[in-house]
Amino acid sequence: QYYNKSKILTGITIIDISNVIAGPTIGSLLYKFGAEVIKVDSTTSIYSPEVTIYYGVVANRGKRSILIDLNTKKGYNLLTQMLKTADILVANNTIESLKRLKLSPDELYQINPHLILCRFDAWGGMFKGERDAYLGYDDNLQASLGIMELFGGGMTTIEEHAHLGTIDVIAGVSGALSCVNALYFRYHHPKRTGLLIARASLA
């Protein structure tokens, strides 16, 4: 009920093609502030039921849903029609993955020059790093950032710490904040050129 007092994102439309926990958390948080979020999922199951349904109970609450096969021309055309009137596309993809989907920043700009791409991944950041194109998930980050060791693990004893909340959820919060910053920037710079990208990652 707290969020209902201020629907500051009313009128904002978000297309969410992300998956698992952190990516969908971005859209779920923005929904709480009034945005309309349309969750796009594959027509075939990609993850096990506990990921799709159990995590989705929280991460997809309040979203509208549509199944689209983005590997078909019909599916791609449907998505591009949706993007033409959207404000934000949330995608937890590497840049190479977006290129394969024909959703690179340049291609998205041609579809909708006012669109914001919220690009979320495992290792990326403001500047390109050596792991920028690598895939990863919560456990990889806990090991690399020293969280496993901090909570009793080591090179021979792995100690996972609070899987759902340690990296995934707080990274999703960061992604949502990045989207809000991008919306604020777009409002104050309406004549910008090039696709506006909101950036966040697990790292």
Side-chain angles (χ1 to χ4, degrees):
Q1 296 299 323
Y2 170 78
Y3 296 105
N4 292 334
K5 295 178 181 178
S6 180
K7 295 291 189 178
I8 59 172
L9 297 181
T10 296
I12 298 298
T13 301
I14 298 167
I15 307 299
D16 181 358
I17 63 169
S18 67
N19 50 47
V20 192
I21 304 169
T25 295
I26 297 170
S28 71
L29 287 172
L30 298 175
Y31 159 76
K32 290 178 180 179
F33 289 95
E36 177 186 24
V37 185
I38 303 170
K39 182 73 170 67
V40 177
D41 284 306
S42 173
T43 54
T44 57
S45 181
I46 298 174
Y47 294 98
S48 59
E50 69 268 20
V51 172
T52 304
I53 299 170
Y54 178 67
Y55 298 159
V57 167
V58 176
N60 292 319
R61 185 176 179 188
K63 298 177 185 178
R64 295 169 65 192
S65 178
I66 186 169
L67 301 179
I68 301 177
D69 185 352
L70 296 179
N71 295 312
T72 66
K73 185 176 181 179
K74 182 179 179 181
Y76 176 77
N77 288 340
L78 177 57
L79 179 65
T80 57
Q81 287 300 312
M82 294 166 63
L83 291 174
K84 285 179 180 179
T85 58
D87 295 286
I88 300 173
L89 170 65
V90 177
N92 57 343
N93 300 69
T94 63
I95 197 68
E96 292 304 318
S97 173
L98 288 174
K99 288 178 182 177
R100 288 193 300 272
L101 291 170
K102 298 179 185 175
L103 298 173
S104 70
D106 289 340
E107 288 162 316
L108 288 171
Y109 184 74
Q110 294 302 314
I111 295 167
N112 180 354
H114 302 290
L115 186 70
I116 295 167
L117 169 61
C118 177
R119 190 165 84 79
F120 187 92
D121 61 12
W123 302 99
M126 291 177 61
F127 307 103
K128 188 171 177 62
E130 62 182 34
R131 294 183 183 174
D132 194 59
Y134 285 32
L135 301 178
Y137 68 111
D138 193 299
D139 291 353
N140 303 136
L141 274 295
Q142 286 197 35
S144 297
L145 299 176
I147 294 171
M148 285 186 173
E149 185 175 6
L150 181 66
F151 286 92
M155 292 300 289
T156 57
T157 56
I158 298 170
E159 184 64 37
E160 180 185 40
H161 176 67
H163 178 78
L164 297 182
T166 304
I167 302 286
D168 282 306
V169 175
I170 195 61
V173 172
S174 297
L177 178 60
S178 184
C179 287
V180 172
N181 285 336
L183 286 167
Y184 182 82
F185 182 88
R186 186 183 72 173
Y187 178 80
H188 288 284
H189 300 85
K191 295 182 180 180
R192 78 187 196 287
T193 58
L195 191 76
L196 189 56
I197 300 175
R199 197 72 176 88
S201 72
L202 292 174

